[in-house]
Amino acid sequence: MAKKNFYAVKTGKVPGIYKTWAECQANTSGYPGATFKGFETLAEAESFMGGNTSEAPAKSSGNFDGIDKLPKIYAFTDGSFNVATGVYGFGGFLHYSDVEPDVEIRGNDNDPEEAVSRNVSGEVHGAVAAMKKAVELGITEMTLFYDYEGVEKWPTGMWKTNKKISKFYVEEYNKIKDSLKVNFVHVKAHTGIPGNEEADRIAKEEVGLEK
């Protein structure tokens, strides 16, 4: 997957091209109908800013791939797996304030029973970590952006739990759900969504696949 080196904000607090996700987020979070996207090259970012329809998001309103507006409190999480080491990990961040910095979420493990589920174990632990951090901060409702379907379908009962990792996930979610309302939102992986790209980068870093 190509690294996102530029973030183009077409509609936001201060439209422009930024080099970091933090700058992009600062100019789009809480802004109605913000439109932005991450790119590998400056030329692609400039093309997007110029209104090239081949680079623009599918929706004319909203920022990218089904996200019409970033909520006030949200998290992006993702998982990864290193085949060579058997280590699974997760990454992401929790945005809960326009004043306080985002809380980075990261971790890894190599439990053999969970490692058979590869990156799925990372996806699950990332979601749980984000929820626990929200509860720790006294948050009662948040939106969780994810790219693996099980993140929503296991805790909501749409999928049956048949492995250690899915059973663990549902048990943890049931402990949290009375304290925290989670609004699950699915996003497509590797489509230039800045939050998802950042979560993916941290997850890969945790398993030694990116430095």
Side-chain angles (χ1 to χ4, degrees):
M1 182 193 67
K3 180 182 178 182
K4 303 305 175 184
N5 299 309
F6 301 93
Y7 298 93
V9 178
K10 184 181 287 189
T11 305
K13 297 173 185 176
V14 182
I17 297 174
Y18 299 91
K19 290 186 176 181
T20 67
W21 160 241
E23 292 174 304
C24 172
Q25 187 183 42
N27 284 286
T28 55
S29 180
Y31 191 94
T35 305
F36 55 102
K37 191 173 182 181
F39 297 94
E40 182 182 3
T41 67
L42 179 60
E44 291 173 315
E46 291 175 337
S47 177
F48 175 77
M49 291 296 289
N52 187 318
T53 55
S54 65
E55 296 292 349
K59 289 190 173 186
S60 58
S61 63
N63 47 18
F64 39 49
D65 296 322
I67 304 177
D68 295 319
K69 178 182 176 182
L70 284 170
K72 187 174 181 181
I73 299 174
Y74 63 90
F76 276 90
T77 59
D78 203 1
S80 189
F81 180 70
N82 189 325
V83 178
T85 63
V87 173
Y88 52 88
F90 61 88
F93 61 90
L94 170 64
H95 175 83
Y96 69 101
S97 169
D98 290 333
V99 180
E100 298 295 326
D102 294 344
V103 178
E104 190 175 73
I105 296 165
R106 61 165 66 229
N108 63 66
D109 207 343
N110 62 352
D111 178 274
E113 220 177 326
E114 291 191 348
V116 296
S117 297
R118 300 167 70 93
N119 67 297
V120 171
S121 291
E123 303 276 0
V124 164
H125 280 285
V128 170
M131 293 177 198
K132 286 186 174 180
K133 178 55 68 174
V135 172
E136 181 185 316
L137 292 170
I139 295 168
T140 57
E141 182 175 358
M142 78 165 188
T143 297
L144 178 62
F145 292 104
Y146 66 91
D147 60 26
Y148 175 68
E149 289 184 82
V151 169
E152 177 177 4
K153 292 187 175 180
W154 276 320
T156 55
M158 289 185 279
W159 281 4
K160 292 182 178 180
T161 57
N162 54 15
K163 289 186 178 180
K164 179 180 178 179
I165 192 63
S166 56
K167 291 178 181 178
F168 160 80
Y169 185 27
V170 172
E171 287 174 2
E172 291 299 309
Y173 176 77
N174 286 338
K175 294 176 186 176
I176 295 170
K177 67 180 182 181
D178 291 335
S179 302
L180 177 71
K181 179 183 178 183
V182 181
N183 302 310
F184 295 98
V185 178
H186 179 263
V187 295
K188 292 181 180 179
H190 314 311
T191 55
I193 298 174
N196 181 255
E197 297 287 350
E198 177 65 6
D200 178 69
R201 181 191 69 77
I202 298 172
K204 282 185 167 59
E205 196 173 79
E206 277 296 307
V207 300
L209 294 179
E210 183 170 305
K211 297 182 180 179

